[in-house]
Amino acid sequence: EPEVTQTPSHQVTQMGQEVILRCVPISNHLYFYWYRQILGQKVEFLVSFYNNEISEKSEIFDDQFSVERPDGSNFTLKIRSTKLEDSAMYFCASSDRDRGLLRSYNSPLHFGNGTRLTVT
Amino acid sequence: TQLLEQSPQFLSIQEGENLTVYCNSSSVFSSLQWYRQEPGEGPVLLVTVVTGGEVKKLKRLTFQFGDARKDSSLHITAAQPGDTGLYLCAGKYSGNTPLVFGKGTRLSVIA
């Protein structure tokens, strides 16, 4: 079964440094997402991406964050200047709209196994 | 900010027991999904419910969507140690809004 893959599995960086988290979504999916999960807290939405542009973003996704789909397979999340509070698991997800279902329903999200970002 | 509350937060039971966990919101969902998350992994979808009153079964797991589409429950019959994990509900309040997650119920099934 196709799956979403994320690299690296663990990234340690110093405060103020830039990091790029990489994701390869499922190949025929059209919608891409980044979520994060701070230890012990809930999974939080960061950003959604469709048709080569951001379709929605949360308050967390400030100017320090950016996303890019540099080619036909990769989807990246960049944090320009990391802060201690950016330490979290970052999950990439992808989905494909099921055209047979109600307009209000989106296909389920397929998540990768995450990148654990530790900012020291 | 729309909140999605899950209860209980933690649940520890003996193998063979039945259990129910809950997901509640003050707002109406357009759709709701249940995920299970293992340590070190991403959430994995269990089920999606769309219609008020809908009941879906997945082996020993029964999912129910409230008539008003504001709440949902997950019932596990004869729990097994393999059911141990974090159960997350996630809802969409409209077709164009992002999926919002609850904090989850951490289930531990003891052999």
Side-chain angles (χ1 to χ4, degrees):
Chain A
E1 184 176 329
E3 58 183 22
V4 175
T5 56
Q6 290 187 243
T7 55
S9 58
H10 193 182
Q11 172 95 43
V12 181
T13 188
Q14 289 190 324
M15 195 168 52
Q17 295 296 304
E18 174 184 286
V19 294
I20 297 176
L21 310 183
R22 302 180 191 280
C23 170
V24 179
I26 294 174
S27 62
N28 63 340
H29 282 185
L30 303 176
Y31 299 83
F32 313 112
Y33 310 85
W34 284 100
Y35 282 78
R36 79 172 185 190
Q37 187 176 32
I38 295 172
L39 186 63
Q41 298 187 25
K42 64 181 179 180
V43 176
E44 299 175 291
F45 170 76
L46 293 179
V47 66
S48 59
F49 193 85
Y50 170 70
N51 200 26
N52 285 320
E53 61 182 22
I54 290 174
S55 48
E56 186 128 13
K57 61 183 181 180
S58 71
E59 293 174 350
I60 303 168
F61 194 88
D62 61 21
D63 291 344
Q64 293 300 310
F65 290 87
S66 62
V67 289
E68 193 177 28
R69 188 157 164 80
D71 52 44
S73 60
N74 291 284
F75 180 52
T76 61
L77 174 69
K78 181 192 292 185
I79 308 175
R80 288 190 184 81
S81 178
T82 51
K83 303 186 287 289
L84 294 177
E85 53 265 37
D86 292 329
S87 295
M89 282 289 287
Y90 287 80
F91 292 105
C92 173
S94 68
S95 72
D96 187 20
R97 183 182 297 267
D98 186 334
R99 300 178 190 279
L101 296 179
L102 294 173
R103 193 177 165 188
S104 62
Y105 167 77
N106 281 343
S107 293
L109 272 59
H110 296 259
F111 285 86
N113 282 337
T115 292
R116 179 171 298 283
L117 177 64
T118 302
V119 182
T120 61
Chain B
T1 302
Q2 291 156 325
L3 291 177
L4 200 154
E5 302 288 340
Q6 289 192 248
S7 61
Q9 190 176 355
F10 299 98
L11 186 58
S12 182
I13 62 170
Q14 294 291 125
E15 182 177 4
E17 291 184 355
N18 301 331
L19 67 112
T20 303
V21 298
Y22 301 92
C23 175
N24 294 283
S25 175
S26 57
S27 301
V28 175
F29 297 111
S30 64
S31 66
L32 186 141
Q33 298 171 354
W34 284 92
Y35 290 81
R36 180 174 152 189
Q37 186 179 19
E38 305 276 4
E41 298 181 9
V44 175
L45 180 74
L46 296 174
V47 78
T48 300
V49 286
V50 178
T51 306
E54 184 175 3
V55 176
K56 283 193 173 179
K57 292 198 173 187
L58 186 66
K59 296 183 181 177
R60 294 176 292 101
L61 278 60
T62 302
F63 304 85
Q64 187 160 8
F65 200 15
D67 291 341
R69 307 208 320 270
K70 291 184 178 182
D71 58 272
S72 181
S73 63
L74 159 58
H75 181 81
I76 301 179
T77 304
Q80 298 176 0
D83 295 327
T84 294
L86 180 66
Y87 289 83
L88 300 166
C89 72
K92 292 178 68 72
Y93 291 100
S94 71
N96 294 324
T97 58
L99 197 62
V100 175
F101 280 82
K103 285 188 176 182
T105 292
R106 189 166 296 282
L107 173 66
S108 176
V109 182
I110 302 165

